[in-house]
Amino acid sequence: MPEFRPRPAQKQVLQFRSGRMGVAAVPGSGKTQVLSYLASRLIAENYIQEDQEVLVVTLVNSAVDNFSSRIRGFIQDENLMPGLGYRVRTLHGLAHDIVRERPGLVNLENQFQILDEREAQRVLEDAANRWLRSHPEFIETYQHLEQNHSQPSKSQKDWLELVISIASAFIRQAKDLQATPAVIREKIMAVPDASPLLHLGADIYESYQQGLQFRSAVDFDDLIRMALLALQMDSDYLNRLRQRWPYILEDEAQDSSHLQEQILRLLVGEEGNWVRVGDPNQAIFETFTTASPAFLMNFLREPHVVSLSLPNSGRSTLSIMSLANHLVDWTRNRHTNPQLREALQHAVIEPTPPNDPQPNPPDKPEKIFLHTPKLNPDKELDTIARSIRAWLAEDPAHKEKTLAVLVTRNDRGAKLAEIFQHMGIEYVELLKSSHSARETATILSTLLQAIQDPASQPKLIGAFRVFQQCQFNANEEDQSQLNKKIEKILHKCKNLEEFLWPMLEIDWLKDLEANGEDPEILRQLENFRQSMRRWQAAALLPIDQLLLTISKELFTQPADLALAHKLAILLEQRSQTFPGWQMSLFIEELNSVAQNRSRLVGFSEEDTGFVPEHHKGKVVIATMHKAKGLEWDRVYLTSVNNYDFPSAAEYDRYIGEKWFVRDQLNLEEEALAKLKALLSNDIAGLYLEEGLATREARLGIAAERLRLLYVGITRAREELIITWNDGRQGDAQPALAFVALSTYWKEKKNDHSA
């Protein structure tokens, strides 16, 4: 592998040989390279004995592979045996190692099962669904008085999704605080007039854990909780692990959680060696997890910790770094809400020193655009697509560049993918589901709807449309015109039974033939009829077999068949979890994939690690959260308005606050506040004013979104375009941070021109 030539700041980190060290690293500072090299030096210089390992703890599985390959390369350069002397794990992987070695300590069988996220979600949904059906008063308690009742089924679905979300956050927090359902129940019983949110959380937590026990399984949060419990229960076992891992190197420490902090502190002990590297300004997962940058920041301030920084970044141009640095400066000194001035920590991204092996790209101030004119959401995506098409056509060299559009939500990415497909722009997705998965799910959902309701003319025509889509090239103009003509003919069929299941003397298709209809139209209608009849006859099969029956006849490409098989497995798992599910609920599950609300695991590079350099000349569509750790030559940041990036102003709206809940309450945060007060015996906290936790959450969301914007900006190497839109209701404004950045950049350009 290429020789690693550390910078001066990196050399300081690499001098570490014992004690505790915290490192604040800016984006693009090479922290993975530095930690990997440090691990290899500890091994090469015999700081690790034969029965010991350097333990590297990182955030995601793809980072495990990255660290492992880098350390292996450095070790091979020293002519040492690769694979020995180090272990790289995510927190879940480390917890699994700890529990798997001594499962009896935490009352687990030797062959215990770990439920994956999808299966755990199914258990949770089942528990939440049963709870909501038996507690209709919950909706009455929190329902907005002016809620629209014109769509009661949709309203019920909204409430179910909210209850699932509340319960999920409640259970995760409870496990992070090592509170069992029994402990929570006992504490609730001792409190008069406990909040309905506490009862909701406790009831579903209890039911959820029973579901896990029925499967003889634990979830990932249990695994971490039990790992800590095992370390606390057996001091001899803990000492053996301390001996095995005398050095712990922690990556992405800004995303450490309460449990991760406790586990690593126990493993390090008084005599161990601990290096924590991270960037508090890139802590963007607080909304979804129990992670907090406070753990790293507190560690950096501890008296016996050597605190260093990695300030140099060779990733971006000087102009892009200037924009990111200004966001930090503006936030800390001039943000209109003083409570948000600590959202970003003081850190200046500095260019690499002269003769650095990774010099900054040549500066291109003219390649930074902050698009200030108002766009509606659709126009924003269309404008971006046209800009990309023009940019790719402008210069053949652009085909050798990397390019990404970063969105705030998966559904926005899915819409953009449709536009790219229509325009013939090549793209790759880092979303919950790929376009091909969504398309396959849409086709199967549409056909199931027609099978479920064969008397519905619109559903049958929809089925015909996707059937033809699979049979013919949709781009063939002649076939497209013929399809439209056939659909008009189907509209005239008053009794669909006479078409699909005719009696000998009454056959709508034969009547068309007798009236001189085009033979090719008759042939295609007959093919469609025969397929629909076979599929309707197969409707009594289990749902997975029905899907496979349809797919084998419908799809010819191996990739499409593989996706259909994956969807069939998904629905079969659903039928096992929810034996009472009818066809309509399976259709809704397919729609969840089709509308990018559910992830279809195993069909994206994200599952094994994504490398932008492998997709030069193609557009990567990713959420800003999934873009963390990646970089591209040209980056578009979208939807930088006061909904997706609020500033805790009175006129801002928040994703966590549901339209159908009274007083704009964030019930997840209200429930978590009650839980923390309960577990800390804070009686006053249990009876605090309703809405206080919601207001605190707004500050937390606004702070995290400032960090998310910082992450988005620092994904760009050479070119950066930032846009905003006025939202679904047309009343959103540009984010306060966007206004500050655009004002700064306009003044900077004027200074250059002067």
Side-chain angles (χ1 to χ4, degrees), residues 23-56:
V23 184
V26 302
S29 59
K31 61 182 179 62
T32 302
Q33 189 87 329
V34 171
L35 275 183
S36 300
Y37 192 70
L38 176 58
S40 71
R41 297 317 305 158
L42 293 170
I43 297 167
E45 295 173 12
N46 297 316
Y47 283 87
I48 299 297
Q49 298 174 14
E50 286 188 6
D51 60 344
Q52 294 180 324
E53 297 170 319
V54 175
L55 175 63
V56 180

mmCIF file of all heavy atoms in Angstrom, residues 23-56:
data_model
loop_
_atom_site.group_PDB
_atom_site.id
_atom_site.type_symbol
_atom_site.label_atom_id
_atom_site.label_comp_id
_atom_site.label_asym_id
_atom_site.label_seq_id
_atom_site.Cartn_x
_atom_site.Cartn_y
_atom_site.Cartn_z
ATOM 1 N N VAL A 23 -8.925 12.996 20.896
ATOM 2 C CA VAL A 23 -8.533 13.707 19.680
ATOM 3 C C VAL A 23 -9.775 14.254 18.989
ATOM 4 O O VAL A 23 -10.672 13.486 18.608
ATOM 5 C CB VAL A 23 -7.765 12.789 18.699
ATOM 6 C CG1 VAL A 23 -7.298 13.586 17.485
ATOM 7 C CG2 VAL A 23 -6.588 12.122 19.387
ATOM 8 N N ALA A 24 -9.831 15.570 18.847
ATOM 9 C CA ALA A 24 -10.903 16.211 18.083
ATOM 10 C C ALA A 24 -10.431 16.341 16.639
ATOM 11 O O ALA A 24 -9.440 17.034 16.365
ATOM 12 C CB ALA A 24 -11.228 17.580 18.668
ATOM 13 N N ALA A 25 -11.123 15.672 15.726
ATOM 14 C CA ALA A 25 -10.672 15.591 14.332
ATOM 15 C C ALA A 25 -11.691 16.241 13.408
ATOM 16 O O ALA A 25 -12.870 15.888 13.441
ATOM 17 C CB ALA A 25 -10.466 14.132 13.933
ATOM 18 N N VAL A 26 -11.244 17.196 12.575
ATOM 19 C CA VAL A 26 -12.158 17.847 11.634
ATOM 20 C C VAL A 26 -12.435 16.912 10.464
ATOM 21 O O VAL A 26 -11.705 15.937 10.250
ATOM 22 C CB VAL A 26 -11.573 19.189 11.125
ATOM 23 C CG1 VAL A 26 -11.294 20.130 12.274
ATOM 24 C CG2 VAL A 26 -10.321 18.949 10.280
ATOM 25 N N PRO A 27 -13.476 17.183 9.663
ATOM 26 C CA PRO A 27 -13.775 16.326 8.512
ATOM 27 C C PRO A 27 -12.602 16.271 7.523
ATOM 28 O O PRO A 27 -11.990 17.296 7.211
ATOM 29 C CB PRO A 27 -14.985 17.021 7.867
ATOM 30 C CG PRO A 27 -15.620 17.799 8.970
ATOM 31 C CD PRO A 27 -14.497 18.248 9.845
ATOM 32 N N GLY A 28 -12.282 15.061 7.085
ATOM 33 C CA GLY A 28 -11.224 14.892 6.094
ATOM 34 C C GLY A 28 -9.826 14.951 6.660
ATOM 35 O O GLY A 28 -8.853 15.085 5.910
ATOM 36 N N SER A 29 -9.685 14.812 7.990
ATOM 37 C CA SER A 29 -8.360 14.940 8.614
ATOM 38 C C SER A 29 -7.579 13.637 8.638
ATOM 39 O O SER A 29 -6.455 13.598 9.130
ATOM 40 C CB SER A 29 -8.507 15.475 10.040
ATOM 41 O OG SER A 29 -9.321 14.614 10.819
ATOM 42 N N GLY A 30 -8.168 12.551 8.140
ATOM 43 C CA GLY A 30 -7.451 11.278 8.061
ATOM 44 C C GLY A 30 -7.436 10.499 9.360
ATOM 45 O O GLY A 30 -6.484 9.767 9.633
ATOM 46 N N LYS A 31 -8.497 10.607 10.153
ATOM 47 C CA LYS A 31 -8.499 9.941 11.459
ATOM 48 C C LYS A 31 -8.463 8.415 11.335
ATOM 49 O O LYS A 31 -7.818 7.745 12.154
ATOM 50 C CB LYS A 31 -9.697 10.379 12.294
ATOM 51 C CG LYS A 31 -11.051 10.074 11.704
ATOM 52 C CD LYS A 31 -12.165 10.596 12.595
ATOM 53 C CE LYS A 31 -13.525 10.324 11.991
ATOM 54 N NZ LYS A 31 -13.822 8.902 11.828
ATOM 55 N N THR A 32 -9.130 7.867 10.322
ATOM 56 C CA THR A 32 -9.096 6.412 10.134
ATOM 57 C C THR A 32 -7.677 5.944 9.830
ATOM 58 O O THR A 32 -7.201 4.935 10.376
ATOM 59 C CB THR A 32 -10.047 5.998 8.994
ATOM 60 O OG1 THR A 32 -11.369 6.433 9.295
ATOM 61 C CG2 THR A 32 -10.042 4.489 8.808
ATOM 62 N N GLN A 33 -6.996 6.701 8.965
ATOM 63 C CA GLN A 33 -5.611 6.369 8.621
ATOM 64 C C GLN A 33 -4.717 6.448 9.861
ATOM 65 O O GLN A 33 -3.877 5.576 10.094
ATOM 66 C CB GLN A 33 -5.116 7.359 7.554
ATOM 67 C CG GLN A 33 -3.771 7.017 6.933
ATOM 68 C CD GLN A 33 -3.911 6.089 5.747
ATOM 69 O OE1 GLN A 33 -4.823 5.270 5.700
ATOM 70 N NE2 GLN A 33 -3.011 6.216 4.781
ATOM 71 N N VAL A 34 -4.907 7.486 10.668
ATOM 72 C CA VAL A 34 -4.066 7.678 11.853
ATOM 73 C C VAL A 34 -4.306 6.578 12.882
ATOM 74 O O VAL A 34 -3.349 5.993 13.418
ATOM 75 C CB VAL A 34 -4.330 9.068 12.472
ATOM 76 C CG1 VAL A 34 -3.629 9.196 13.823
ATOM 77 C CG2 VAL A 34 -3.848 10.161 11.541
ATOM 78 N N LEU A 35 -5.574 6.279 13.167
ATOM 79 C CA LEU A 35 -5.862 5.225 14.143
ATOM 80 C C LEU A 35 -5.355 3.865 13.667
ATOM 81 O O LEU A 35 -4.841 3.068 14.459
ATOM 82 C CB LEU A 35 -7.365 5.152 14.415
ATOM 83 C CG LEU A 35 -7.948 6.104 15.466
ATOM 84 C CD1 LEU A 35 -9.426 5.837 15.661
ATOM 85 C CD2 LEU A 35 -7.215 6.002 16.792
ATOM 86 N N SER A 36 -5.500 3.602 12.376
ATOM 87 C CA SER A 36 -5.021 2.330 11.821
ATOM 88 C C SER A 36 -3.504 2.225 11.946
ATOM 89 O O SER A 36 -2.961 1.172 12.318
ATOM 90 C CB SER A 36 -5.440 2.202 10.355
ATOM 91 O OG SER A 36 -6.835 2.244 10.216
ATOM 92 N N TYR A 37 -2.829 3.325 11.649
ATOM 93 C CA TYR A 37 -1.361 3.321 11.718
ATOM 94 C C TYR A 37 -0.903 3.196 13.169
ATOM 95 O O TYR A 37 0.064 2.483 13.471
ATOM 96 C CB TYR A 37 -0.802 4.587 11.092
ATOM 97 C CG TYR A 37 0.694 4.540 10.852
ATOM 98 C CD1 TYR A 37 1.232 3.715 9.863
ATOM 99 C CD2 TYR A 37 1.566 5.305 11.621
ATOM 100 C CE1 TYR A 37 2.599 3.663 9.644
ATOM 101 C CE2 TYR A 37 2.932 5.261 11.409
ATOM 102 C CZ TYR A 37 3.450 4.438 10.422
ATOM 103 O OH TYR A 37 4.808 4.395 10.205
ATOM 104 N N LEU A 38 -1.618 3.884 14.082
ATOM 105 C CA LEU A 38 -1.279 3.770 15.497
ATOM 106 C C LEU A 38 -1.426 2.326 15.972
ATOM 107 O O LEU A 38 -0.550 1.806 16.694
ATOM 108 C CB LEU A 38 -2.176 4.691 16.321
ATOM 109 C CG LEU A 38 -2.012 4.620 17.845
ATOM 110 C CD1 LEU A 38 -0.577 4.923 18.264
ATOM 111 C CD2 LEU A 38 -2.989 5.575 18.539
ATOM 112 N N ALA A 39 -2.492 1.669 15.570
ATOM 113 C CA ALA A 39 -2.687 0.266 15.952
ATOM 114 C C ALA A 39 -1.542 -0.596 15.435
ATOM 115 O O ALA A 39 -1.001 -1.449 16.156
ATOM 116 C CB ALA A 39 -4.022 -0.243 15.411
ATOM 117 N N SER A 40 -1.135 -0.376 14.201
ATOM 118 C CA SER A 40 -0.045 -1.179 13.613
ATOM 119 C C SER A 40 1.277 -0.920 14.329
ATOM 120 O O SER A 40 2.086 -1.834 14.510
ATOM 121 C CB SER A 40 0.084 -0.888 12.118
ATOM 122 O OG SER A 40 0.611 0.404 11.885
ATOM 123 N N ARG A 41 1.530 0.357 14.746
ATOM 124 C CA ARG A 41 2.780 0.660 15.448
ATOM 125 C C ARG A 41 2.811 -0.032 16.814
ATOM 126 O O ARG A 41 3.861 -0.532 17.249
ATOM 127 C CB ARG A 41 2.941 2.173 15.646
ATOM 128 C CG ARG A 41 3.051 3.007 14.385
ATOM 129 C CD ARG A 41 3.962 2.408 13.330
ATOM 130 N NE ARG A 41 5.302 2.137 13.871
ATOM 131 C CZ ARG A 41 6.142 1.259 13.350
ATOM 132 N NH1 ARG A 41 5.774 0.532 12.303
ATOM 133 N NH2 ARG A 41 7.342 1.088 13.860
ATOM 134 N N LEU A 42 1.682 -0.040 17.510
ATOM 135 C CA LEU A 42 1.636 -0.705 18.815
ATOM 136 C C LEU A 42 1.944 -2.189 18.678
ATOM 137 O O LEU A 42 2.612 -2.790 19.536
ATOM 138 C CB LEU A 42 0.264 -0.495 19.460
ATOM 139 C CG LEU A 42 -0.076 0.940 19.884
ATOM 140 C CD1 LEU A 42 -1.539 1.049 20.284
ATOM 141 C CD2 LEU A 42 0.826 1.399 21.035
ATOM 142 N N ILE A 43 1.474 -2.765 17.598
ATOM 143 C CA ILE A 43 1.735 -4.188 17.353
ATOM 144 C C ILE A 43 3.186 -4.397 16.944
ATOM 145 O O ILE A 43 3.887 -5.274 17.476
ATOM 146 C CB ILE A 43 0.778 -4.727 16.272
ATOM 147 C CG1 ILE A 43 -0.669 -4.633 16.758
ATOM 148 C CG2 ILE A 43 1.129 -6.167 15.904
ATOM 149 C CD1 ILE A 43 -1.698 -4.836 15.652
ATOM 150 N N ALA A 44 3.675 -3.586 15.997
ATOM 151 C CA ALA A 44 5.033 -3.750 15.469
ATOM 152 C C ALA A 44 6.096 -3.508 16.533
ATOM 153 O O ALA A 44 7.170 -4.131 16.513
ATOM 154 C CB ALA A 44 5.246 -2.805 14.285
ATOM 155 N N GLU A 45 5.818 -2.607 17.473
ATOM 156 C CA GLU A 45 6.804 -2.268 18.504
ATOM 157 C C GLU A 45 6.644 -3.109 19.767
ATOM 158 O O GLU A 45 7.195 -2.780 20.829
ATOM 159 C CB GLU A 45 6.705 -0.782 18.833
ATOM 160 C CG GLU A 45 7.082 0.116 17.653
ATOM 161 C CD GLU A 45 6.818 1.594 17.938
ATOM 162 O OE1 GLU A 45 6.565 1.945 19.117
ATOM 163 O OE2 GLU A 45 6.854 2.382 16.984
ATOM 164 N N ASN A 46 5.870 -4.189 19.652
ATOM 165 C CA ASN A 46 5.735 -5.178 20.728
ATOM 166 C C ASN A 46 5.095 -4.639 22.009
ATOM 167 O O ASN A 46 5.395 -5.111 23.111
ATOM 168 C CB ASN A 46 7.104 -5.796 21.062
ATOM 169 C CG ASN A 46 7.685 -6.563 19.889
ATOM 170 O OD1 ASN A 46 6.975 -7.317 19.219
ATOM 171 N ND2 ASN A 46 8.971 -6.356 19.625
ATOM 172 N N TYR A 47 4.207 -3.663 21.854
ATOM 173 C CA TYR A 47 3.406 -3.241 22.997
ATOM 174 C C TYR A 47 2.273 -4.236 23.261
ATOM 175 O O TYR A 47 1.621 -4.175 24.302
ATOM 176 C CB TYR A 47 2.827 -1.843 22.758
ATOM 177 C CG TYR A 47 3.841 -0.738 22.962
ATOM 178 C CD1 TYR A 47 4.667 -0.329 21.919
ATOM 179 C CD2 TYR A 47 3.984 -0.129 24.208
ATOM 180 C CE1 TYR A 47 5.611 0.677 22.105
ATOM 181 C CE2 TYR A 47 4.919 0.878 24.404
ATOM 182 C CZ TYR A 47 5.737 1.279 23.352
ATOM 183 O OH TYR A 47 6.675 2.276 23.543
ATOM 184 N N ILE A 48 2.068 -5.135 22.295
ATOM 185 C CA ILE A 48 1.032 -6.160 22.405
ATOM 186 C C ILE A 48 1.709 -7.519 22.514
ATOM 187 O O ILE A 48 2.526 -7.890 21.662
ATOM 188 C CB ILE A 48 0.110 -6.142 21.161
ATOM 189 C CG1 ILE A 48 -0.584 -4.797 21.033
ATOM 190 C CG2 ILE A 48 -0.921 -7.269 21.230
ATOM 191 C CD1 ILE A 48 -1.505 -4.453 22.174
ATOM 192 N N GLN A 49 1.369 -8.276 23.556
ATOM 193 C CA GLN A 49 1.927 -9.613 23.710
ATOM 194 C C GLN A 49 1.167 -10.600 22.825
ATOM 195 O O GLN A 49 0.155 -10.264 22.209
ATOM 196 C CB GLN A 49 1.845 -10.020 25.175
ATOM 197 C CG GLN A 49 2.648 -9.117 26.111
ATOM 198 C CD GLN A 49 2.440 -9.452 27.575
ATOM 199 O OE1 GLN A 49 1.901 -10.522 27.916
ATOM 200 N NE2 GLN A 49 2.858 -8.545 28.459
ATOM 201 N N GLU A 50 1.665 -11.823 22.777
ATOM 202 C CA GLU A 50 1.106 -12.816 21.850
ATOM 203 C C GLU A 50 -0.371 -13.089 22.097
ATOM 204 O O GLU A 50 -1.119 -13.378 21.169
ATOM 205 C CB GLU A 50 1.901 -14.123 21.950
ATOM 206 C CG GLU A 50 3.265 -14.037 21.295
ATOM 207 C CD GLU A 50 3.947 -15.390 21.239
ATOM 208 O OE1 GLU A 50 3.297 -16.401 21.613
ATOM 209 O OE2 GLU A 50 5.116 -15.445 20.825
ATOM 210 N N ASP A 51 -0.791 -13.035 23.343
ATOM 211 C CA ASP A 51 -2.189 -13.340 23.661
ATOM 212 C C ASP A 51 -3.036 -12.080 23.788
ATOM 213 O O ASP A 51 -4.140 -12.120 24.339
ATOM 214 C CB ASP A 51 -2.271 -14.147 24.952
ATOM 215 C CG ASP A 51 -1.688 -13.391 26.153
ATOM 216 O OD1 ASP A 51 -0.954 -12.401 25.917
ATOM 217 O OD2 ASP A 51 -1.952 -13.788 27.302
ATOM 218 N N GLN A 52 -2.552 -10.946 23.282
ATOM 219 C CA GLN A 52 -3.269 -9.686 23.416
ATOM 220 C C GLN A 52 -3.630 -9.099 22.052
ATOM 221 O O GLN A 52 -3.100 -9.516 21.011
ATOM 222 C CB GLN A 52 -2.403 -8.674 24.193
ATOM 223 C CG GLN A 52 -2.163 -9.059 25.640
ATOM 224 C CD GLN A 52 -1.319 -8.032 26.363
ATOM 225 O OE1 GLN A 52 -0.405 -7.434 25.791
ATOM 226 N NE2 GLN A 52 -1.618 -7.809 27.639
ATOM 227 N N GLU A 53 -4.520 -8.112 22.093
ATOM 228 C CA GLU A 53 -4.962 -7.440 20.872
ATOM 229 C C GLU A 53 -5.168 -5.951 21.138
ATOM 230 O O GLU A 53 -5.543 -5.564 22.249
ATOM 231 C CB GLU A 53 -6.290 -8.019 20.376
ATOM 232 C CG GLU A 53 -6.244 -9.473 19.970
ATOM 233 C CD GLU A 53 -7.635 -10.032 19.714
ATOM 234 O OE1 GLU A 53 -8.565 -9.696 20.490
ATOM 235 O OE2 GLU A 53 -7.783 -10.801 18.763
ATOM 236 N N VAL A 54 -4.944 -5.152 20.098
ATOM 237 C CA VAL A 54 -5.432 -3.778 20.100
ATOM 238 C C VAL A 54 -6.904 -3.850 19.692
ATOM 239 O O VAL A 54 -7.229 -4.403 18.638
ATOM 240 C CB VAL A 54 -4.655 -2.893 19.106
ATOM 241 C CG1 VAL A 54 -5.269 -1.494 19.046
ATOM 242 C CG2 VAL A 54 -3.196 -2.817 19.484
ATOM 243 N N LEU A 55 -7.789 -3.314 20.524
ATOM 244 C CA LEU A 55 -9.213 -3.332 20.213
ATOM 245 C C LEU A 55 -9.604 -1.990 19.598
ATOM 246 O O LEU A 55 -9.420 -0.941 20.218
ATOM 247 C CB LEU A 55 -10.028 -3.579 21.487
ATOM 248 C CG LEU A 55 -11.552 -3.502 21.343
ATOM 249 C CD1 LEU A 55 -12.067 -4.578 20.391
ATOM 250 C CD2 LEU A 55 -12.230 -3.627 22.712
ATOM 251 N N VAL A 56 -10.129 -2.023 18.377
ATOM 252 C CA VAL A 56 -10.618 -0.825 17.699
ATOM 253 C C VAL A 56 -12.137 -0.896 17.667
ATOM 254 O O VAL A 56 -12.712 -1.870 17.164
ATOM 255 C CB VAL A 56 -10.063 -0.716 16.266
ATOM 256 C CG1 VAL A 56 -10.589 0.554 15.584
ATOM 257 C CG2 VAL A 56 -8.542 -0.709 16.276
#
